[in-house]
Amino acid sequence: MPILNVLLSGPAHSQTTREVAALLSDLTAQLLHKKPELTSIAVRYVEPEHWVVGGRTLAEQGCSSAYVEIKITDETNTRAEKAAYIRAVFEGLSALMPNLHHESYIHVHDVRAGAYGYGGLTQEYRAQHG
């Protein structure tokens, strides 16, 4: 039941959105063991002229960048799984985006089960009532 919020530099392209969403959905299933049918991904775009890294825009640097945040239920993944996920997401985005800036971030949020859910039910409720 994770939700991913994704910022990509550059103009919006439906093909890029599909490719990035497929990559993230696959990696989330493979490495974090989350169900693809419960994975939600929102992709937004920022023009390189409006994304600044180290005091210079991406346009000035000739780079692209990404920011990926994923919310998962706390204590459902190990540190090693999350580290492998962060590495794989960065590598996957590097293959899809030209000149991906090293300062592209992936953030895994561990969210308390009682404070997170979908369909009007918390993850804590689901765990207790199977």
Side-chain angles (χ1 to χ4, degrees), residues 4-121:
L4 291 90
N5 287 301
V6 181
L7 286 178
L8 302 175
S9 65
H13 287 290
S14 59
Q15 181 63 29
T16 302
T17 298
R18 283 191 295 276
E19 290 173 355
V20 168
L23 169 76
L24 295 173
S25 183
D26 290 347
L27 292 175
T28 301
Q30 292 169 13
L31 300 174
L32 298 181
H33 319 292
K34 306 304 182 194
K35 296 177 182 177
E37 64 272 17
L38 299 179
T39 299
S40 188
I41 303 169
V43 179
R44 294 173 187 83
Y45 291 85
V46 176
E47 291 295 329
E49 296 81 11
H50 300 288
W51 193 314
V52 179
V53 178
R56 294 177 52 220
T57 68
L58 291 174
E60 293 170 323
Q61 297 181 52
C63 292
S64 61
S65 192
Y67 173 71
V68 176
E69 63 178 359
I70 179 172
K71 291 180 173 75
I72 60 173
T73 306
D74 192 23
E75 299 183 5
T76 59
N77 291 100
T78 66
R79 286 182 180 190
E81 287 170 331
K82 291 181 276 190
Y85 181 78
I86 290 169
R87 185 172 37 259
V89 168
F90 185 82
E91 290 170 359
L93 290 172
S94 293
L96 293 176
M97 299 179 69
N99 301 319
L100 186 67
H101 200 289
H102 183 263
E103 301 302 320
S104 294
Y105 293 94
I106 297 99
H107 185 177
V108 178
H109 293 272
D110 289 306
V111 183
R112 290 182 32 232
Y116 183 55
Y118 63 97
L121 300 174

